[in-house]
Amino acid sequence: RLVEKGSAYVAEGGDVYFDVAGYGRTYPELDPSRKFDAGAPRGTPPPGGDGDGAGDANNPKKRDPRDFALWKSAAAPAPDGDGGNPPEPDGAAWDSPWGRGRPGWHIECSAMTSALFGESLDVHCGGIDLRFPHHENELAQCRAYFLEHSQPTHVCSWARHWVHFGHLHIAGRKMSKSLKNFVSIRDYLATTGTPSEFRMFCALHHYAAPASLTP
């Protein structure tokens, strides 16, 4: 539907990209500090990247460095710097009108939330690191999908409220499942503090501010 509406385009090799320049609305909106100079030389990455991987601003398949992937083909990788895609793990590719491939990171989340909640959300939450580019790109593609250009933005804001949480640091490092330094509430209560102390810890920190926990 995004391709049919002119909000996305099919690139050489079967990749599909969201057309940021043709979006027609403020981008980025959640974090205006990430605004990109459209007159910058080719290959200049947008501030904070586009979420498609390091160096993707140089991808010659893109019309604009800010464009982000909606569908990535499962074609064999091309030579370095030629905009090719890495090979997919077994089973991580599906048939589509553009050939075998997989959905982009941002469109996966939008598809799931739209399937469950429809055309809009009351509240969308996440860590502060997801505000750009992930949430920004979710917002753009969902507005383009559900909203006609003739409609004012407030008719379909998609997510009415955005809440971004500060990071929790454990012994000086950001808590992360990949780093295996996370502490569950059950573990905290069993080894570190009482329920009242945990409530006080949460109450002393603004939800959007970083917090540190020393085991």
Side-chain angles (χ1 to χ4, degrees):
R1 182 171 172 180
L2 288 173
V3 174
E4 294 172 355
K5 294 179 69 173
S7 298
Y9 58 92
V10 182
E12 181 181 356
D15 291 347
V16 181
Y17 289 99
F18 186 84
D19 185 3
V20 172
Y23 175 43
R25 300 183 185 278
T26 301
Y27 181 94
E29 181 176 339
L30 301 177
D31 188 355
S33 68
R34 305 286 191 173
K35 189 174 182 180
F36 178 68
D37 180 4
R42 178 73 185 180
T44 302
D50 59 4
D52 282 342
D56 204 61
N58 291 305
N59 190 339
K61 297 180 182 180
K62 289 187 174 186
R63 296 176 181 174
D64 187 301
R66 299 171 298 173
D67 294 349
F68 54 90
L70 303 176
W71 183 262
K72 300 288 281 185
S73 72
D80 290 344
D82 198 23
N85 297 330
E88 298 296 335
D90 292 341
W94 298 265
D95 292 328
S96 80
W98 315 287
R100 286 185 64 78
R102 59 175 174 80
W105 171 35
H106 315 296
I107 203 73
E108 286 181 347
C109 294
S110 296
M112 289 186 290
T113 54
S114 298
L116 291 170
F117 301 109
E119 297 186 4
S120 63
L121 305 174
D122 288 322
V123 181
H124 196 319
C125 304
I128 190 65
D129 55 329
L130 295 178
R131 183 169 61 182
F132 186 93
H134 183 49
H135 287 169
E136 196 72 63
N137 291 348
E138 276 195 282
L139 175 61
Q141 65 196 11
C142 285
R143 274 187 174 162
Y145 185 88
F146 292 117
L147 182 64
E148 299 300 329
H149 283 289
S150 60
Q151 294 177 280
T153 296
H154 71 268
V155 172
C156 177
S157 58
W158 187 59
R160 296 180 178 88
H161 303 283
W162 293 86
V163 180
H164 293 103
F165 301 103
H167 290 144
L168 176 62
H169 292 80
I170 306 292
R173 302 181 70 190
K174 185 182 80 169
M175 186 177 75
S176 170
K177 188 174 182 180
S178 62
L179 294 176
K180 302 185 186 304
N181 67 336
F182 62 93
V183 178
S184 69
I185 295 177
R186 180 179 287 110
D187 290 341
Y188 173 89
L189 295 178
T191 63
T192 306
T194 66
S196 294
E197 289 171 336
F198 179 72
R199 294 189 188 97
M200 182 60 70
F201 174 79
C202 294
L204 288 173
H205 295 86
H206 190 275
Y207 75 90
S212 295
L213 176 66
T214 302

